[in-house]
C-alpha cells in the first residue's frame, strides 16, 4: 500500500514534496501540481522540512497498522494520538503534547492540500489532544539558557561557572591557548548569536554582505533578510557590539572571506589541526552540537568548577541551538528591560514565549523570594 521509503528524499524543494505525495497510493490522482507548487513555494524551508517529517510519521503509522491514508478517519487519527502519548511507534518514545499538536496540524494540511476529507478536523481528535495534554502535560521542555555571565543575580558581579564567557574561553585550542580558524569562527558565532538572538537557521544564513560597520564607536549592525517571523522577507536589523565586530574581523581575515556565508564549515585533520576552510555554510544542526562540544571542552579544562560527570551530562542534554537565545532573554529580564523592548530587539512576536524564558528569574526575584530573604535576616 505504501512505499518502504516514505518521504525520504534528501531535498524539500516543492518538486520533491510533490513527488513524495504522488508516491502514496490513492493520493496520486489527487495531485494538483500547480496548487501544490504554489503552496510549497509560499512556505519557508523549515516549514517544508517539518511538513515532510511529520507527515512521514503518520504514513509510517498507517503502514504499520494497515490503514489506507486516503481512507483514514478520525478514529484512526485518535488511535495514532494515543500511540504517540505512550510511545508505541518506531521511535518508541512518548511525544510532548506540543509535538503531537504539530503533527496533527501538518497531517491535516496535507489532506486539505489534496482536497481530501481532513480526518484531523473532528471533535474526537480534539478530545484526544486534550486528553494527551492532561496525561503528559502541556509545558514544553525549555533549553538551558546560556547567559553571558551565567545564572547570576547581579549582572555586574562575578560570572558563574557555566556561562557564555566560559564557552568563549573554551574556544581557545591547544596547550598555548592559540586562536586558530576553528576558534576564531566559534568565537565570532557565539558573539553574533548573543548580540542578535538569531535562531540557528538564521545564524547559518548570515553573509559577509549583511554586516555593516564598524561605526566611530566600533559597533556595527547586521541586516537580517529573512527570519522565522519575517517570511515575506521585509528584512530587519540587529546590533553588533564592538567586541563582536572585532571577533568578526579576526575570523573573516583568517578565513579570507569577502563574500558568501560567514559561518563556514571547517575540515580538520585527525589531530585537530585545520585542513580546509570550506565555502559552504554550517548546517543548522551543527550550531547546537558546537555549543555542546564547547561545554564538554570547558569541563575537560576545569572551567566548570567542581561539576561532576552526571551533572555535565545533564547540562549537555539541556543545551540546544536555542540556548543562547533563551539566555539573551533572561539577561534582558535581569537587566529590567521592558517586554516590548526585548521583543522588538530580538524579533519576537509572541510575548508568551519571552515570558516563559524569564519564568525562572521571576521565581528567584518574586514576592516569595523577597519575603524569605527578609525573614532570614
Amino acid at each position: 500500500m505504501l512505499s518502504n521509503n516514505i518521504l525520504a528524499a534528501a531535498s524539500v524543494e516543492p518538486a520533491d514534496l510533490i513527488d513524495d505525495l504522488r508516491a502514496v497510493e490513492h493520493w496520486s490522482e489527487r495531485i494538483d501540481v500547480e496548487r501544490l507548487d504554489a503552496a510549497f513555494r509560499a512556505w519557508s524551508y523549515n516549514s517544508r522540512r517539518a511538513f515532510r517529517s511529520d507527515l512521514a510519521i503518520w504514513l509510517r503509522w498507517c503502514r504499520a497498522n494497515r490503514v489506507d491514508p486516503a481512507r483514514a478517519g478520525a478514529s484512526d487519527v485518535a488511535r495514532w494520538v494515543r500511540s504517540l502519548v505512550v510511545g508505541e511507534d518506531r521511535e518508541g518514545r512518548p511525544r510532548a503534547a506540543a509535538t503531537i499538536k504539530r503533527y496533527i496540524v501538518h497531517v491535516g494540511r496535507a489532506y486539505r492540500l489534496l482536497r481530501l476529507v481532513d480526518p484531523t478536523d473532528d471533535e474526537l481528535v480534539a478530545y484526544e489532544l486534550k486528553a494527551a495534554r492532561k496525561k503528559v502535560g502541556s509545558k514544553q521542555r525549555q533549553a538551558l539558557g546560556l547567559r553571558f555571565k551565567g545564572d547570576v543575580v547581579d549582572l555586574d558581579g562575578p560570572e558563574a561557572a557555566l556561562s557564555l564567557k566560559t564557552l568563549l574561553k573554551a574556544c581557545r585550542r591547544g596547550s598555548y591557548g592559540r586562536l586558530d580558524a576553528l576558534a576564531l569562527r566559534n568565537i565570532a558565532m557565539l558573539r553574533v548569536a548573543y548580540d542578535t538572538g538569531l535562531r540557528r537557521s538564521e545564524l547559518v544564513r548570515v553573509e559577509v554582505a549583511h554586516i555593516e560597520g564598524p561605526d566611530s564607536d566600533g559597533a556595527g549592525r547586521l541586516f537580517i533578510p529573512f527570519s522565522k517571523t519575517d517570511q515575506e522577507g521585509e528584512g530587519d536589523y540587529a546590533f553588533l557590539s564592538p567586541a563582536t565586530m572585532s571577533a568578526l574581523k579576526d575570523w573573516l581575515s583568517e578565513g579570507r572571506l569577502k563574500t558568501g556565508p560567514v559561518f563556514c564549515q571547517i575540515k580538520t585533520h585527525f589531530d585537530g589541526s585545520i585542513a580546509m576552510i570550506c565555502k559552504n555554510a554550517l548546517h543548522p544542526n551543527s550550531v547546537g552540537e558546537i555549543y555542546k562540544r564547547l561545554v564538554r571542552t570547558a569541563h575537560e579544562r576545569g572551567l566548570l568548577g567542581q561539576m561532576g560527570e552526571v551533572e555535565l551530562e545533564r547540562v549537555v542534554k539541556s543545551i540546544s541551538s536555542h540556548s543562547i537565545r533563551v539566555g539573551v532573554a533572561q539577561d534582558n529580564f535581569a537587566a529590567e528591560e521592558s517586554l516590548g523592548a526585548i521583543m522588538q530587539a530580538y524579533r519576537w512576536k509572541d510575548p508568551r514565549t519571552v515570558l516563559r524564558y524569564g519564568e525562572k528569574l521571576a521565581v528567584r526575584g518574586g514576592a516569595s523570594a523577597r519575603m524569605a530573604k527578609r525573614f532570614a535576616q
Side-chain angles (χ1 to χ4, degrees):
M1 179 171 64
L2 296 172
S3 164
N4 288 327
N5 201 21
I6 300 173
L7 307 194
S11 166
V12 292
E13 291 302 311
D16 292 318
L17 289 179
I18 292 170
D19 287 342
D20 284 340
L21 296 177
R22 185 181 283 120
V24 181
E25 190 177 3
H26 300 139
W27 279 12
S28 57
E29 61 268 24
R30 312 291 304 191
I31 299 294
D32 180 339
V33 174
E34 185 176 15
R35 173 186 170 85
L36 291 175
D37 178 67
F40 293 143
R41 283 188 290 107
W43 297 357
S44 69
Y45 172 85
N46 285 335
S47 293
R48 295 197 299 268
R49 185 178 64 179
F51 174 78
R52 161 180 280 147
S53 173
D54 297 350
L55 185 57
I57 293 170
W58 162 245
L59 293 176
R60 281 196 292 267
W61 183 88
C62 286
R63 183 176 62 187
N65 291 272
R66 300 184 179 278
V67 173
D68 182 350
R71 296 177 174 81
S75 60
D76 297 310
V77 177
R79 282 199 296 142
W80 180 46
V81 170
R82 291 195 295 272
S83 72
L84 292 169
V85 169
V86 297
E88 290 179 350
D89 67 343
R90 191 173 73 171
E91 294 189 32
R93 58 181 177 82
R95 305 305 204 284
T99 301
I100 297 174
K101 175 63 176 177
R102 193 194 72 199
Y103 292 171
I104 295 298
V105 168
H106 286 144
V107 168
R109 184 173 289 177
Y111 281 87
R112 293 191 297 275
L113 283 172
L114 295 170
R115 292 193 172 97
L116 290 165
V117 175
D118 179 4
T120 71
D121 186 21
D122 190 277
E123 277 191 328
L124 174 60
V125 177
Y127 290 143
E128 283 294 352
L129 287 173
K130 186 173 182 179
R133 288 194 295 272
K134 290 183 68 175
K135 184 175 181 63
V136 302
S138 58
K139 190 173 181 66
Q140 294 176 260
R141 185 178 70 86
Q142 181 178 298
L144 179 65
L146 280 173
R147 299 174 58 191
F148 194 76
K149 284 190 170 184
D151 190 19
V152 296
V153 176
D154 181 6
L155 294 180
D156 297 318
E159 68 200 67
L162 179 62
S163 66
L164 186 65
K165 289 187 70 175
T166 300
L167 298 198
L168 288 169
K169 295 174 186 175
C171 288
R172 295 178 177 273
R173 291 156 54 80
S175 56
Y176 297 101
R178 69 186 188 281
L179 291 174
D180 61 7
L182 199 61
L184 291 170
R185 183 204 66 187
N186 290 346
I187 289 171
M189 186 171 72
L190 289 171
R191 286 195 173 276
V192 169
Y194 185 83
D195 279 359
T196 63
L198 289 175
R199 302 168 182 86
R200 63 178 186 174
S201 60
E202 300 158 2
L203 191 60
V204 300
R205 292 176 68 176
V206 172
E207 297 193 1
V208 176
H210 298 158
I211 301 168
E212 301 179 10
D215 60 18
S216 58
D217 296 322
R221 65 178 187 174
L222 178 71
F223 177 62
I224 307 169
F226 293 96
S227 69
K228 181 179 179 181
T229 54
D230 177 26
Q231 295 300 323
E232 300 299 322
E234 294 181 5
D236 209 336
Y237 286 93
F239 174 79
L240 296 175
S241 69
T244 299
M245 290 298 291
S246 178
L248 282 167
K249 179 182 177 181
D250 291 343
W251 159 235
L252 295 177
S253 175
E254 178 71 20
R256 299 180 182 178
L257 302 173
K258 296 182 179 180
T259 60
V262 170
F263 303 117
C264 306
Q265 295 181 14
I266 297 177
K267 294 184 178 179
T268 58
H269 294 296
F270 70 94
D271 63 353
S273 60
I274 305 300
M276 179 191 303
I277 299 175
C278 305
K279 297 300 182 183
N280 50 314
L282 286 167
H283 190 280
N285 291 347
S286 299
V287 176
E289 292 306 312
I290 290 171
Y291 297 168
K292 291 174 183 284
R293 189 159 56 244
L294 288 174
V295 170
R296 292 192 183 281
T297 300
H299 183 263
E300 291 170 3
R301 297 180 183 175
L303 299 175
L304 298 183
Q306 301 300 312
M307 182 181 292
E309 291 293 334
V310 174
E311 178 65 7
L312 172 66
E313 293 307 316
R314 186 194 67 78
V315 168
V316 169
K317 186 177 180 180
S318 300
I319 293 288
S320 80
S321 58
H322 221 58
S323 288
I324 291 182
R325 186 168 169 84
V326 174
V328 166
Q330 292 174 338
D331 274 348
N332 273 268
F333 275 117
E336 299 183 349
E337 292 289 345
S338 70
L339 177 60
I342 298 171
M343 293 179 65
Q344 189 278 330
Y346 302 103
R347 303 161 307 284
W348 266 295
K349 297 296 184 184
D350 187 351
R352 292 174 298 180
T353 302
V354 192
L355 290 171
R356 189 172 70 245
Y357 293 159
E359 282 178 345
K360 292 181 179 179
L361 295 182
V363 170
R364 192 164 56 187
S368 61
R370 291 193 297 272
M371 188 63 71
K373 182 178 181 180
R374 173 176 294 178
F375 284 117
Q377 296 174 351

